Amino acid sequence: MPSNIQIGPIQETEYQVLSVLVGELLNEIMENIGINVFKFNRKETEARAGRLISDGKYWVFVAREATTKNVIGFVSLYESYALYSEGAYGTMPELYVTKNWRSKLVGQMLLNEVMKFAKEKGWHRIEVTTPPLPEFDRTLNFYQTNGFEITGGRKLKVDINA
């Protein structure tokens, strides 16, 4: 693994950069599929991240370039429950590495941190949904190369207007 990359829990001072990276991730997905499927507001995302993390409902690990300490990627997790998974398990809703750092093992390093954290939490499973295929076949291949298996189905959603 590259020694110029450090992986660790996000710091409160990094919530703003996290919100920027989330925006980049969502924009990249929408550009590739040609559909505007996400509502994004950077300040709201930053505040939401702060609340979820401080409430212990959401965990974020970041990849930092060792010399500059710049955040170059992140992965997020939350705990889910299901009978089929034998109780608690982890869901990984976001994993993003900036374009300049892709294919340099940063994503794999973030996944290694996820697996370590999952063991500490006693989870026996991590689930992830890829962005739409075939536009994100490379993402699917990345996960499969790192031990994830296709379990079928598609991710569906319905927005509830309060």
Side-chain angles (χ1 to χ4, degrees):
M1 295 291 156
S3 59
N4 62 332
I5 306 299
Q6 298 170 336
I7 307 293
I10 192 164
Q11 303 301 306
E12 220 174 297
T13 57
E14 296 170 323
Y15 292 172
Q16 192 271 336
V17 72
L18 172 65
S19 68
V20 170
L21 293 179
V22 168
E24 289 177 12
L25 168 64
L26 300 180
N27 283 325
E28 185 174 330
I29 292 170
M30 292 187 294
E31 285 173 11
N32 280 306
I33 66 172
I35 304 170
N36 190 11
V37 293
F38 299 107
K39 299 174 198 157
F40 175 73
N41 178 294
R42 195 203 59 73
K43 286 193 178 283
E44 289 175 8
T45 300
E46 180 180 349
R48 186 177 309 113
R51 280 191 311 275
L52 290 171
I53 293 166
S54 66
D55 288 348
K57 295 180 179 180
Y58 191 73
W59 298 276
V60 176
F61 297 95
V62 295
R64 296 177 191 91
E65 197 281 321
T67 10
T68 63
K69 303 295 183 203
N70 288 338
V71 175
I72 57 171
F74 77 96
V75 62
S76 61
L77 293 158
Y78 62 89
E79 188 168 79
S80 300
Y81 304 88
L83 299 177
Y84 73 82
S85 69
E86 302 172 18
Y89 66 97
T91 298
M92 194 170 60
E94 298 127 347
L95 187 151
Y96 180 74
V97 175
T98 58
K99 289 183 180 184
N100 293 346
W101 286 93
R102 293 183 189 164
S103 298
K104 297 181 182 175
L105 301 178
V106 176
Q108 188 174 1
M109 292 174 73
L110 287 165
L111 282 182
N112 290 345
E113 191 67 25
V114 165
M115 298 310 166
K116 185 174 117 184
F117 184 76
K119 287 178 183 172
E120 292 169 6
K121 296 291 287 178
W123 298 339
H124 299 286
R125 172 189 297 240
I126 299 290
E127 292 188 357
V128 64
T129 302
T130 64
L133 303 174
E135 295 87 351
F136 288 88
D137 281 339
R138 189 170 167 214
T139 303
L140 175 64
N141 183 57
F142 166 76
Y143 287 120
Q144 288 179 306
T145 300
N146 284 283
F148 286 77
E149 301 171 343
I150 296 175
T151 58
R154 291 188 177 264
K155 181 177 182 177
L156 303 173
K157 74 168 188 156
V158 61
D159 291 329
I160 308 299
N161 297 328

